[in-house]
Amino acid sequence: MTDGTREERDSLGAMTIPASAYWGIHTARALENFPITRRAIYNYPDLIRALAKVKQAAARANAEIGVMEADKAAIIDQVCQEIFDGALHAEFRVGVIQGGAGTSTNMNANEVIANRGLELMGFEKGDYAKLSPIDDVNRSQSTNDVYPTAIKLAMVYGVQRLLAEHKLLAGSFAAKGREFNHILKIGRTQLQDAVPMTLGQEFKGFAVTLAEDYDRLNETIPWLNEINMGATAIGTGITADHRYAESVCRHLIEVTGIHMETAADLIEATSDAGIFMTVSGTLKRAAVKLSKICNDLRLLSSGPQAGIGEINLPARQAGSSIMPGKVNPVIPEVVNQVAFSVIGADATVTAAAEGGQLQLNAFEPVIAHSILQSLSWMTNACFTLRVNCVDGISANIERLAMQVETSVGVVTALTPYIGYAAAATLAHTALTTNESIADLVVSTGLMTPEKVALVLSPERLSGMVANTAAITLPVLTQPTQT
């Protein structure tokens, strides 16, 4: 080791490594080979934490079955816990998108763990005769079982975090539903006036649709918990003791607190990427539905003077460099863009899953990047939508009341009592004269003021209370059968 560097060798030759680096020659080659995204795996802390837990479980299993010295296993175990707790993440330098089916990521982890272990043992970094990244840290393993297990575990961490924010967001919409429960408004179909409802019903609907996606996302976790540790290269378990697969799964459950199961067929499990399509597709569904809600928020708040203007979104920032006073719906807009990205990521995952050949899918790095990014962005989107938008939404009560009073949509509620033809005539008259439906139906003698007031009450118009026999419905004559 000279001039702040050290020399390391592999089967391709020697390279000079910074003496302070915990990564080694395999990471250095990856840094040269994959300058693609300039986005290192340290941008995905869940993946680093997952790798640490997989390596920790492997070390414990290797010690248990007697294929690794207990003192080496203990050092590896200690280092893995340090990494899980947040240490050395900046040393995970390789680009997240890489050739080699994740080998560079696995070797980056092996080298960081080995060199930190050497440091704890009192040796210099790179002295791999004392603790080897491959012979010790990677004992009984292959990238082809470590990497898919780690990215699945990372996705579980990501899904759990998304579920927490998703639930809070649904709760915020539900709270607004209760707050707006008795505020009547006009519902719309195909952007045209339809029939009355309450603003609370609209926001409760947002909460319910989010709750449905919470359930679907939660259902992906058990599928992610099927692992192929012990498969090694292609699923045959070559280089691993026959006791290892059961032992490492048990230890992985112990160190993560998450129930996991070893796949019944390790060859199939090593080549199949179906679960990633399931997770990605479920994320896309949640993103699309969240984006639709944001579209609705932007429409409902449009204006504020020349648009629909039924609700007011919190003003978060000046909306224009040229138009004074303009405020844009920036929070729903950014969530829309997150959804667009998730949709595109799902297409990438689909193509990558299809592109695998024979006993291994070489494209799991881009699958991991796509899904982990989507999970992170969706989590952040749910947070900012809740805190910076939904919690501060207010109703434009006067405008809502005016729209209901002048809307011909309420005539639909009268059709059971006066018939469709008469109701259509009244609607046409109201549109041309701007008279209220209530006044017209009374003035034409079709119903008494008392009956009109009952039928057009907010509770009945919104369906919040069921129709009763308080007003007798007309008996329709059935056509004679011939």
Side-chain angles (χ1 to χ4, degrees):
M1 185 178 294
T2 58
D3 301 325
T5 63
R6 67 178 188 264
E7 184 180 85
E8 291 192 15
R9 290 183 172 274
D10 63 5
S11 59
L12 299 181
M15 290 189 74
T16 299
I17 308 297
S20 61
Y22 288 86
W23 46 268
I25 189 170
H26 295 280
T27 301
R29 292 200 188 281
L31 292 174
E32 288 186 351
N33 291 334
F34 311 123
I36 307 300
T37 63
R38 301 296 182 185
R39 189 173 180 84
I41 57 175
Y42 62 66
N43 288 285
Y44 298 94
D46 282 340
L47 178 55
I48 296 174
R49 293 169 64 236
L51 283 163
K53 285 301 176 185
V54 170
K55 296 294 179 179
Q56 184 178 46
R60 292 186 183 188
N62 283 325
E64 179 179 84
I65 64 177
V67 300
M68 180 183 290
E69 299 92 326
D71 56 345
K72 283 186 176 181
I75 286 291
I76 294 170
D77 193 324
Q78 179 181 341
V79 173
C80 288
Q81 190 59 46
E82 288 182 1
I83 293 171
F84 181 82
D85 292 336
L88 301 176
H89 282 209
E91 298 294 316
F92 289 76
R93 303 289 298 277
V94 300
V96 64
I97 296 181
Q98 58 198 243
T103 297
S104 297
T105 294
N106 184 36
M107 284 306 305
N108 194 165
N110 290 335
E111 290 172 338
V112 171
I113 294 167
N115 281 310
R116 172 56 178 155
L118 288 167
E119 188 174 60
L120 291 174
M121 295 164 70
F123 301 113
E124 291 185 342
K125 298 183 187 73
D127 190 359
Y128 297 141
K130 305 294 193 304
L131 186 67
S132 168
I134 297 176
D135 292 334
D136 296 317
V137 181
N138 202 59
R139 176 71 62 86
S140 306
Q141 304 153 58
S142 164
T143 294
N144 301 347
D145 56 3
V146 166
Y147 189 72
T149 298
I151 62 178
K152 286 179 180 179
L153 180 55
M155 289 173 194
V156 171
Y157 291 148
V159 170
Q160 289 174 334
R161 192 175 298 106
L162 172 57
L163 287 172
E165 279 299 336
H166 205 270
K167 187 173 185 178
L168 290 171
L169 178 60
S172 290
F173 276 113
K176 286 296 170 181
R178 293 188 293 271
E179 179 184 341
F180 301 151
N181 191 41
H182 294 289
I183 301 175
L184 205 61
K185 61 159 287 179
I186 293 298
R188 295 176 181 84
T189 58
Q190 295 160 279
L191 293 179
Q192 304 300 302
D193 296 347
V195 297
M197 63 186 300
T198 70
L199 190 60
Q201 288 173 317
E202 194 160 34
F203 274 75
K204 178 185 176 184
F206 296 153
V208 170
T209 197
L210 288 173
E212 291 176 351
D213 287 311
Y214 178 97
D215 292 340
R216 301 294 81 76
L217 287 164
N218 197 39
E219 289 167 359
T220 66
I221 292 178
W223 295 99
L224 285 167
N225 290 342
E226 183 183 87
I227 63 173
N228 71 327
M229 290 297 290
T232 64
I234 64 170
T236 60
I238 193 170
T239 74
D241 185 281
H242 70 277
R243 299 166 293 172
Y244 171 77
E246 183 278 328
S247 180
V248 73
C249 184
R250 176 163 37 83
H251 282 292
L252 195 52
I253 294 171
E254 179 183 299
V255 299
T256 62
I258 297 171
H259 177 72
M260 297 182 181
E261 294 183 2
T262 301
D265 187 320
L266 292 178
I267 290 178
E268 184 278 336
T270 303
S271 64
D272 179 46
I275 180 54
F276 301 125
M277 287 190 291
T278 299
V279 174
S280 182
T282 305
L283 268 173
K284 181 180 73 171
R285 167 191 158 130
V288 168
K289 292 173 68 176
L290 185 61
S291 188
K292 188 270 180 188
I293 290 172
C294 288
N295 293 342
D296 288 351
L297 294 179
R298 291 190 295 110
L299 281 170
L300 293 174
S301 64
S302 60
Q305 293 172 302
I308 294 176
E310 293 183 353
I311 61 173
N312 308 300
L313 305 185
R316 296 302 305 173
Q317 63 188 62
S320 174
S321 61
I322 188 173
M323 293 173 281
K326 191 172 189 291
V327 178
N328 295 325
V330 294
I331 303 301
E333 286 174 350
V334 77
V335 177
N336 285 136
Q337 291 172 80
V338 168
F340 305 156
S341 176
V342 173
I343 293 167
D346 180 62
T348 298
V349 170
T350 301
E354 186 277 336
Q357 301 93 18
L358 303 178
Q359 278 67 61
L360 182 68
N361 189 306
F363 308 118
E364 286 183 358
V366 78
I367 290 175
H369 160 70
S370 299
I371 294 178
L372 293 176
Q373 176 178 277
S374 292
L375 284 167
S376 177
W377 287 15
M378 278 282 287
T379 301
N380 296 339
C382 287
F383 172 82
T384 196
L385 184 61
R386 171 174 60 89
V387 172
N388 293 320
C389 183
V390 177
D391 285 348
I393 291 174
S394 61
N396 194 338
I397 297 175
E398 294 79 11
R399 185 176 181 88
L400 286 163
M402 180 271 293
Q403 289 177 341
V404 172
E405 289 170 3
T406 59
S407 173
V408 299
V410 298
V411 77
T412 303
L414 301 175
T415 55
Y417 311 102
I418 65 175
Y420 184 91
T425 300
L426 286 178
H428 179 73
T429 302
L431 284 172
T432 56
T433 66
N434 288 324
E435 293 184 69
S436 75
I437 291 293
D439 291 342
L440 284 171
V441 75
V442 171
S443 66
T444 55
L446 292 171
M447 295 178 71
T448 66
E450 294 76 19
K451 286 186 176 182
V452 171
L454 182 59
V455 173
L456 299 186
S457 67
E459 292 78 13
R460 279 177 171 264
L461 286 175
S462 63
M464 293 174 65
V465 298
N467 288 333
T468 68
I471 298 178
T472 304
L473 292 175
V475 179
L476 300 178
T477 302
Q478 297 295 321
T480 302
Q481 298 292 321
T482 59

